[in-house]
Amino acid sequence: MDTLAVELVQLIALHLATPSASTTDVRPPKDLVPLLCTSRSFYYALNKHTNPHLYAEIFRRTFDTSALYRRFPVSQLSATALTHELQRRWTCLSRVRRLSTAGGHLWTSRKHKKADLLEDLMTMYLMFIESDGGNAKLLLRYANVMGYLDQFKQNRLANMRLRPDMPEESEENALWLWLCWFTLDYYKCLAGPDEVRINFDYLITPFVLGVFQYANTFAPWSCPILPFALPSSPSSSPQASVTPLVLTDPSPSPNDLIPVGPRPFSTAIPGGYLSVPAGTHYSSHGTNGNNNGVLFSFPLLHHAAVQLCLAQEDRLPMFQHGHVQPTNDQLLNQAFSHGLFPSAMTLADPRSDLPPFFDRRAGRVARDAYTPDYMRVKFPCIVDSRRWDNEWARLVGCRDPLASIPKSVDLPTYRWTPGRMTGEWDGRFMIPALESYNRLLDALQPLPTNHVHMGEPVREYPVNILEEVHRLHNFQSWSIVEYHHRPVAQFPNALRPGKAINAHLPGGMVVERVTESWDPTMKRWRNGILVRANGVQSFYEAIPSSEASSLAIPSSNSGLPILLLGHLTTPPRHSSPAISCFEPGATIAGTVRPWDGLVTLKATGDPRTGSFVYNGYLVGEGDRQGESGNWVGRWRDAHSEPMAVAWEGVFAMRKRGE
């Protein structure tokens, strides 16, 4: 045995440790242990300290790595880093698998620390946003992530609603909600028991409607141009700890001073992602002296909660009076007629006793999860990691609005895809009834004088009011065109930003359509608009969604590089007959903040209905046509100052036809 070539021994080890193309059973590389114990020469050739490149190759054959090589420099993906990540991932996945079927006694034992649970949640989240299908199969089949999330809900979150305080915006809660969103598909949403759905809705309601408690953006929406460069103050001392104030308007009022600060780093993975612990025996192999991992912030809790809530609210189509409502099986068979789709259910359970439309057929596998046209919330894609490149870029590069990432640091930066907002959009909007919202604001006051019972003041808690709040649902359809600033000889400058409550557009803005003209620089015809405001004229080119991959984002440090203009349209035929806040034809105008992709729009209709401001992110977007994901965020009345507490709700929109 000792006479075998080292290369042959490594090939045997790779065969034992990695799954073949014909098998669906992926397990930790435990079969290497007997081989390592065969002889001293085998141990020297195969152990991770002397041959980390072998384990790096095992990692590449076991997990999806396309996203890693897109998002990280090659120096960060050294053999030692991948070896340590292989060991760390299998430790977490084995723990998840064990806890997915464990009772409460194991969840409360000292054996499983809170730090371990947090690391498990973050590991699964990172694997989902890096998944091109392989990671998702491993999580859903081997680790049984669905069972783990149910156990986590029962043993870690069930008591959360027994306390009168609002749930904490913690990393643990955020990751659990995002994992629930990744594992939600059409089958689970439609065929799940109503009791389970109602209990789940009860649990996440505070995260959805508690808009005063949870962040919706990585930086205040009232700041149109980021990052800011703070002026140096000669009188400042190292001991001074002051929250910076940022002006949101060229001629601000005192209410336009917004406190801005960085989001906290994630603490789930010790040392950062893809780090090599100090003191590791093999830490000198291929690291170029860099053992530090990548630090990033944890995802926004609010967006996952809103998508989960509105997707389950929107799970059934609306039918006219007198029409027969189809059964769940009929709806599922109709979904099958549109083509097979990889979803969490198909990836998790390949059994033959599932409904017939889940049977795999050659050549019919799309790369996205199926979402019916009538649903206004698109289900997450867990088989195409490009959908989550921008989400990862926000976590890494949009943590601190006061600092720019140096060009010498090779980390991903958020990149807005031109033409992403151009098209027809349909959405569901939810807002608490005004009377309930006023009760909620009273409950936020420090004095317990909300109600009096038998002559004694009784305090109402926000979380109790949210349980009883009456939700108003509204359906809207928009037609939007995206415009990019193009400097020309006569009009070189972009528009200066206006007040935040006007979606950052300057007051008195006049828009004039421009006929097609030949651009000698870009060698193509272009059309757009000429915008006049505050004595400045600017040219903005219309960006069709079909040219999303061939255009560059305009750069601007002082003006608005991207404008959005449109109007409300008639909702599609499956929409509910609920009364809309606006009539078709009401105008929409707004901007995009390229730093993190924040979309801010203002809708103006009949003076009796007022105006509303919408701000949120595209979640799950891709870099190709037909991959806009969901636009998720909040809407509020446009009569309150940005710093003031306003009547505020949530929404999710999806581009029609995608």
Side-chain angles (χ1 to χ4, degrees):
M1 295 290 289
D2 292 343
T3 60
L4 290 176
V6 175
E7 292 80 4
L8 182 58
V9 175
Q10 292 181 356
L11 288 176
I12 296 173
L14 282 174
H15 177 76
L16 290 174
T18 58
S20 63
S22 60
T23 182
T24 59
D25 185 19
V26 183
R27 298 174 298 170
K30 295 181 180 179
D31 294 335
L32 286 181
V33 176
L35 194 61
L36 284 165
C37 299
T38 301
S39 67
R40 183 173 299 177
S41 59
F42 273 39
Y43 180 82
Y44 181 81
L46 299 178
N47 80 82
K48 63 182 181 181
H49 304 294
T50 58
N51 193 359
H53 296 279
L54 170 65
Y55 292 87
E57 183 62 26
I58 294 174
F59 179 91
R60 286 187 284 266
R61 295 191 183 192
T62 305
F63 302 100
D64 292 324
T65 57
S66 296
L68 291 175
Y69 283 94
R70 282 197 313 272
R71 300 172 187 175
F72 296 94
V74 177
S75 60
Q76 192 72 45
L77 301 173
S78 63
T80 54
L82 294 182
T83 299
H84 175 67
E85 183 65 15
L86 175 71
Q87 182 178 2
R88 193 190 66 79
R89 282 195 186 185
W90 277 120
T91 300
C92 292
L93 293 178
S94 300
R95 191 161 50 223
V96 168
R97 179 185 175 95
R98 183 167 58 253
L99 289 174
S100 65
T101 56
H105 65 283
L106 193 57
W107 281 84
T108 56
S109 67
R110 295 183 179 180
K111 183 178 180 180
H112 299 288
K113 302 177 182 179
K114 183 177 180 180
D116 294 336
L117 298 178
L118 187 60
E119 184 178 2
D120 296 343
L121 291 170
M122 180 57 77
T123 299
M124 291 188 288
Y125 172 81
L126 292 173
M127 287 181 64
F128 267 123
I129 66 174
E130 295 169 4
S131 174
D132 288 303
N135 283 1
K137 289 180 184 178
L138 201 153
L139 287 167
L140 294 160
R141 295 182 185 179
Y142 173 81
N144 188 21
V145 63
M146 290 184 176
Y148 178 88
L149 294 176
D150 288 338
Q151 291 291 334
F152 192 92
K153 177 179 65 176
Q154 296 175 18
N155 295 284
R156 300 287 297 183
L157 301 178
N159 295 332
M160 176 181 66
R161 295 303 308 274
L162 300 179
R163 298 189 293 269
D165 301 326
M166 289 290 292
E168 182 184 2
E169 188 179 9
S170 64
E171 186 172 358
E172 182 179 286
N173 290 341
L175 293 172
W176 175 76
L177 285 167
W178 274 102
L179 292 174
C180 289
W181 171 241
F182 287 136
T183 55
L184 183 69
D185 58 27
Y186 186 46
Y187 178 85
K188 186 177 179 181
C189 187
L190 183 63
D194 286 340
E195 182 180 357
V196 174
R197 181 180 59 82
I198 292 172
N199 290 337
F200 185 78
D201 183 78
Y202 168 80
L203 188 64
I204 68 173
T205 292
F207 299 120
V208 177
L209 294 179
V211 294
F212 51 86
Q213 181 81 12
Y214 308 109
N216 180 53
T217 58
F218 284 85
W221 68 274
S222 52
C223 303
I225 300 175
L226 292 175
F228 283 103
L230 289 180
S232 58
S233 176
S235 59
S236 60
S237 62
Q239 290 78 18
S241 177
V242 181
T243 301
L245 296 176
V246 176
L247 302 183
T248 65
D249 189 76
S251 56
S253 66
N255 288 334
D256 289 325
L257 294 174
I258 310 294
V260 177
R263 284 176 54 81
F265 281 121
S266 168
T267 59
I269 301 178
Y273 191 31
L274 295 174
S275 63
V276 179
T280 305
H281 295 294
Y282 54 93
S283 61
S284 61
H285 289 265
T287 61
N288 296 328
N290 179 20
N291 297 337
N292 296 326
V294 177
L295 300 178
F296 57 95
S297 62
F298 59 88
L300 295 175
L301 170 153
H302 185 64
H303 291 166
V306 170
Q307 291 180 103
L308 281 167
C309 177
L310 297 187
Q312 297 187 86
E313 291 278 358
D314 223 14
R315 71 191 189 284
L316 293 174
M318 302 298 176
F319 291 89
Q320 297 179 1
H321 181 69
H323 287 216
V324 179
Q325 172 84 16
T327 64
N328 287 349
D329 289 339
Q330 290 173 333
L331 289 171
L332 293 173
N333 286 327
Q334 182 182 4
F336 175 63
S337 67
H338 287 80
L340 192 63
F341 54 95
S343 62
M345 178 60 70
T346 58
L347 294 174
D349 200 343
R351 298 176 304 173
S352 59
D353 57 344
L354 285 176
F357 69 92
F358 281 119
D359 293 342
R360 291 187 173 275
R361 298 183 181 181
R364 298 194 64 188
V365 178
R367 57 183 174 78
D368 198 0
Y370 174 78
T371 305
D373 290 338
Y374 65 80
M375 292 199 67
R376 299 161 186 85
V377 183
K378 195 172 184 179
F379 289 115
C381 180
I382 53 177
V383 294
D384 186 2
S385 60
R386 291 183 181 275
R387 293 294 188 93
W388 307 101
D389 283 352
N390 276 336
E391 192 69 21
W392 170 250
R394 287 193 190 105
L395 300 182
V396 175
C398 299
R399 190 190 70 86
D400 189 355
L402 301 174
S404 300
I405 298 178
K407 294 183 179 180
S408 58
V409 179
D410 194 1
L411 291 177
T413 56
Y414 181 85
R415 290 175 297 196
W416 175 263
T417 303
R420 182 58 70 226
M421 288 298 295
T422 297
E424 308 291 325
W425 292 78
D426 302 311
R428 174 184 281 265
F429 297 72
M430 185 170 67
I431 200 166
L434 186 57
E435 180 181 355
S436 301
Y437 198 73
N438 287 333
R439 281 182 58 201
L440 190 63
L441 296 182
D442 290 340
L444 294 174
Q445 302 302 317
L447 297 177
T449 57
N450 309 120
H451 289 280
V452 177
H453 177 68
M454 299 183 65
E456 295 293 331
V458 178
R459 178 170 179 80
E460 278 193 310
Y461 290 93
V463 69
N464 302 127
I465 298 175
L466 289 175
E467 295 172 5
E468 309 167 1
V469 69
H470 179 59
R471 307 176 186 181
L472 303 177
H473 290 268
N474 176 243
F475 307 99
Q476 297 179 21
S477 296
W478 299 353
S479 177
I480 300 175
V481 179
E482 181 178 328
Y483 296 90
H484 286 197
H485 174 247
R486 301 298 184 198
V488 295
Q490 306 94 320
F491 318 114
N493 298 321
L495 284 181
R496 294 284 297 171
K499 288 186 174 296
I501 209 64
N502 198 40
H504 307 298
L505 297 175
M509 186 177 72
V510 178
V511 178
E512 177 185 345
R513 301 289 174 181
V514 178
T515 58
E516 288 191 351
S517 60
W518 174 255
D519 186 348
T521 303
M522 305 184 73
K523 296 182 179 180
R524 61 185 177 87
W525 292 92
R526 63 181 183 180
N527 56 42
I529 56 176
L530 189 62
V531 185
R532 300 183 182 90
N534 300 327
V536 177
Q537 298 187 39
S538 305
F539 175 75
Y540 286 80
E541 180 187 4
I543 308 297
S545 60
S546 59
E547 298 185 12
S549 60
S550 60
L551 298 175
I553 304 172
S555 59
S556 178
N557 297 324
S558 59
L560 300 174
I562 304 174
L563 299 184
L564 303 174
L565 299 177
H567 59 276
L568 274 78
T569 61
T570 303
R573 58 186 177 88
H574 288 301
S575 293
S576 167
I579 299 176
S580 173
C581 291
F582 301 99
E583 295 296 329
T587 60
I588 299 171
T591 58
V592 176
R593 187 168 68 189
W595 179 72
D596 60 348
L598 178 66
V599 178
T600 304
L601 289 173
K602 181 180 181 180
T604 306
D606 191 300
R608 293 172 296 179
T609 60
S611 302
F612 287 87
V613 176
Y614 309 78
N615 57 81
Y617 294 116
L618 292 177
V619 178
E621 59 174 315
D623 60 354
R624 294 183 291 268
Q625 184 182 5
E627 298 179 351
S628 293
N630 295 317
W631 183 35
V632 187
R634 295 180 186 162
W635 62 315
R636 54 176 284 160
D637 71 84
H639 305 290
S640 304
E641 292 296 324
M643 284 289 289
V645 177
W647 189 29
E648 197 166 4
V650 298
F651 72 88
M653 299 194 81
R654 166 194 177 185
K655 188 181 286 190
R656 194 180 303 173
E658 292 190 0

